[in-house]
Amino acid sequence: MLRPAVLRRLSPRLGGFAVPAGCGSRREVASGVPPTGGTSPRALNIFDRELKRKQKNWAARQPEPMKFDYLKEEVGSQIADRVYDITRDFPLALDVGCGRGYIAQHLNKETVGKIFQTDIAEHALKNSLETDIPTVNVLADEEFLPFQENTFDLVVSNLSLHWVNDLPRALEQIHYVLKPDGVFVGAMFGGDTLYELRCSLQLAETEREGGFSPHISPFTAVNDLGHLLGRAGFNTLTVDTDEIQVNYPGMFELMEDLKGMGESNCSWNRKPLLHRDTMLAAAAVYREMYRNEDGSVPATYQIYHMIGWKYHDSQARPAERGSATVSFGDLAKLSDVMPEGKKQ
Amino acid sequence: MSTNGAVWGRVRSRLRAFPDHLAACGAEASAYGKCVQASTAPGGRLSKDLCVREFEALRSCFAAAAKKALMGST
C-alpha cells in the first residue's frame, strides 16, 4: 500500500500525512517546506511562490474558470496522446502542478490505474475536472514532492514547471519518485512564448520611459532542457517543440486571459506598476507590428514536450566500444550478401 | 486593506474600457506603432520620447474617446 514518506528537509511544524483511503477519496496533505534561503548552494529564487499560489487560487475561484483553460486543455490532451502512444499501462501515476487536472480527463482506467494530482493552489484542486480514474488530490510544491522513492510508474506535468525556482531539483525529485522503467511525460513553455507581448512592452517602455524592466518571466532554452533532464538522471530523452498561436482582439484581452489562467508574473524582480501610457503605447505597437489581416493580434505559445525514462536493466543501452562485428568498410560488399536473403 | 473593493472595482472597470477607446483611435495608434517600428529597423535607435508627437496625438484621441464614453453614459 502506498505510504507517502517524509522528506529529509521537512519542517517539524507539519503534522502527519494521511494515508489515501481508497478510490476517489480526496485527502489534502500539507505541502513541503517553502523555499528558505540557503537550503542548497545552487538554489535560485526567481519566483515568489507564495504569490503564484495566491494567483492560482484567485484564478481557480473565478466565476467561469473554464473560459481561460483552453491552452492547458489543449496541451493536456496532447500529453494524454503521448501517454497512449507508450504501449504500457501505468497502475500509479502522478500529475505535478496539475491545476484543475487537465490530463486525467483524457486518460482511461485501463491505461492509468490511479492518479495523484498535486498543485500548490488548494482551490484549483477543489474544483478539479471530472475523470473516471480514481484520483487523490495532494497539496504539494513541485520542488518538494512528499512521496517515497520508486513509487510511480508515470509522472506527467502540464505547463507548470516554468514557475519552478529550482528546475534541476524539481526534475531530480520527479526522477526520484519514479520507479525504474518509469516514464516522465511533461510539457512546459519555451523561449519564444509570448515574444510579441515581450517585444511590444519593451519597445513601448523604452520609448515612453527611457528603459524597460522584464514583464515576461524567463523561459528555459531547449538545449538546456535536454541537459537538465540528463543531469537529473533520465534516460532515452525526447524533446520536441510545438507552437500554438492564439488570436486575440488586442493586447488587453491577452493580458486579461493570462491573468485568468493564473499565469501572471510573479518574479521577484517584476515592476509592480505598469503606467497607463505605457500600456496604451504597447497596445498600439503590438497591433501595428503583429496584427493579422482580420485585425486580431496573435500570441505565440511555444511548448516543449519532453519524455524521459528512469533507468532499468531491460532498457536498450548503447553497445560497448569495440564490440562491432561488421565494419563500415564492408558496406560495399553488402549488396553481395543481401540477394541471398531476398530470394524468398 | 480595502473594505469593499470599491476603488479597485472603479479602476478596473476604467481599465476594461481601454480596448474600446483604443479601437476608436485606430489611425493615431497605427501612426505611433509605425514610428516605433521604424526605429527597430537596422540603423535605427529607440530612445525616450522618440515618437512623442505621435503618442500625444494618440493620447488626446484616447482621452477624447474616454470622455465621450463618460458623457454618453451619464
Side-chain angles (χ1 to χ4, degrees):
Chain A
M1 196 60 202
L2 176 71
R3 226 187 24 223
V6 175
L7 273 188
R8 296 178 289 280
R9 298 211 186 99
L10 227 42
S11 92
R13 65 177 167 85
L14 290 172
F17 287 97
V19 177
C23 297
S25 73
R26 272 192 195 194
R27 296 293 174 92
E28 280 183 14
V29 180
S31 73
V33 185
T36 52
T39 45
S40 128
R42 59 174 187 205
L44 304 163
N45 201 0
I46 314 174
F47 301 114
D48 183 355
R49 294 289 283 172
E50 194 49 47
L51 178 62
K52 178 46 62 184
R53 179 190 195 148
K54 285 187 204 159
Q55 287 171 351
K56 285 193 164 178
N57 273 331
W58 179 90
R61 286 163 79 185
Q62 288 306 289
E64 281 177 46
M66 58 283 288
K67 197 164 68 155
F68 302 109
D69 283 348
Y70 46 89
L71 193 61
K72 299 213 163 133
E73 290 257 355
E74 173 62 29
V75 179
S77 73
Q78 287 180 8
I79 293 179
D81 278 346
R82 281 169 161 80
V83 172
Y84 279 131
D85 281 344
I86 302 173
T87 53
R88 250 182 72 173
D89 61 352
F90 306 97
L92 199 59
L94 170 68
D95 189 350
V96 174
C98 64
R100 288 170 64 232
Y102 303 102
I103 305 178
Q105 52 171 332
H106 296 287
L107 297 171
N108 60 26
K109 259 204 282 232
E110 286 81 39
T111 318
V112 173
K114 183 165 181 174
I115 187 162
F116 276 65
Q117 295 180 318
T118 71
D119 200 78
I120 49 170
E122 58 266 20
H123 289 283
L125 289 175
K126 280 182 189 160
N127 299 331
S128 61
L129 299 169
E130 293 240 344
T131 170
D132 51 329
I133 306 175
T135 56
V136 176
N137 290 347
V138 176
L139 192 65
D141 195 320
E142 286 93 332
E143 287 185 60
F144 301 96
L145 297 175
F147 299 112
Q148 237 172 356
E149 192 178 6
N150 300 336
T151 313
F152 294 104
D153 304 279
L154 168 70
V155 175
V156 287
S157 174
N158 184 13
L159 298 179
S160 71
L161 289 173
H162 59 290
W163 290 119
V164 165
N165 268 319
D166 197 345
L167 189 56
R169 186 201 162 99
L171 292 174
E172 276 169 24
Q173 297 259 301
I174 291 173
H175 184 257
Y176 182 79
V177 301
L178 266 179
K179 279 192 190 142
D181 213 21
V183 62
F184 166 55
V185 183
M188 61 187 283
F189 282 119
D192 274 352
T193 305
L194 296 173
Y195 72 90
E196 301 101 340
L197 184 62
R198 185 173 59 224
C199 289
S200 314
L201 281 171
Q202 277 179 6
L203 291 171
E205 261 191 296
T206 309
E207 198 276 325
R208 284 286 90 218
E209 298 173 32
F212 65 90
S213 79
H215 291 277
I216 314 284
S217 73
F219 297 114
T220 318
V222 67
N223 304 331
D224 295 337
L225 199 57
H227 293 146
L228 283 173
L229 286 169
R231 211 171 91 179
F234 287 105
N235 263 357
T236 323
L237 306 170
T238 311
V239 179
D240 59 89
T241 71
D242 187 21
E243 259 189 30
I244 301 180
Q245 197 183 72
V246 183
N247 294 329
Y248 294 91
M251 191 187 89
F252 293 106
E253 286 84 350
L254 164 63
M255 293 190 344
E256 198 182 308
D257 267 21
L258 288 173
K259 194 172 71 169
M261 285 185 222
E263 300 291 323
S264 316
N265 195 6
C266 71
S267 22
W268 289 109
N269 67 353
R270 72 190 182 279
K271 200 167 106 173
L273 179 64
L274 190 57
H275 295 283
R276 278 173 299 179
D277 282 358
T278 309
M279 272 199 266
L280 181 58
V285 171
Y286 200 140
R287 175 167 301 281
E288 185 53 37
M289 284 182 71
Y290 299 111
R291 68 159 182 265
N292 302 323
E293 286 89 29
D294 62 353
S296 62
V297 295
T300 307
Y301 298 97
Q302 191 184 44
I303 319 278
Y304 295 147
H305 291 275
M306 48 198 159
I307 301 181
W309 293 79
K310 185 158 178 176
Y311 176 74
H312 187 259
D313 290 328
S314 66
Q315 287 171 2
R317 259 173 294 185
E320 284 291 316
R321 299 191 83 175
S323 66
T325 50
V326 192
S327 144
F328 270 118
D330 295 335
L331 262 178
K333 301 179 208 149
L334 201 64
S335 50
D336 303 332
V337 178
M338 279 308 287
E340 258 66 55
K342 276 193 187 158
K343 281 182 195 150
Q344 278 161 16
Chain B
M1 295 302 290
S2 63
T3 46
N4 60 352
V7 174
W8 180 253
R10 214 165 38 232
V11 170
R12 280 287 154 178
S13 62
R14 274 207 290 265
L15 196 61
R16 239 173 272 131
F18 266 36
D20 302 323
H21 304 327
L22 186 60
C25 300
E28 287 85 352
S30 187
Y32 176 75
K34 283 197 173 68
C35 171
V36 173
Q37 191 177 20
S39 74
T40 66
R45 193 188 149 86
L46 185 62
S47 55
K48 187 175 190 314
D49 289 335
L50 185 72
C51 304
V52 63
R53 262 195 302 270
E54 288 86 352
F55 184 73
E56 288 304 324
L58 173 61
R59 191 152 76 147
S60 38
C61 167
F62 189 85
K67 196 181 256 184
K68 197 155 63 168
L70 192 66
M71 292 295 132
S73 67
T74 49

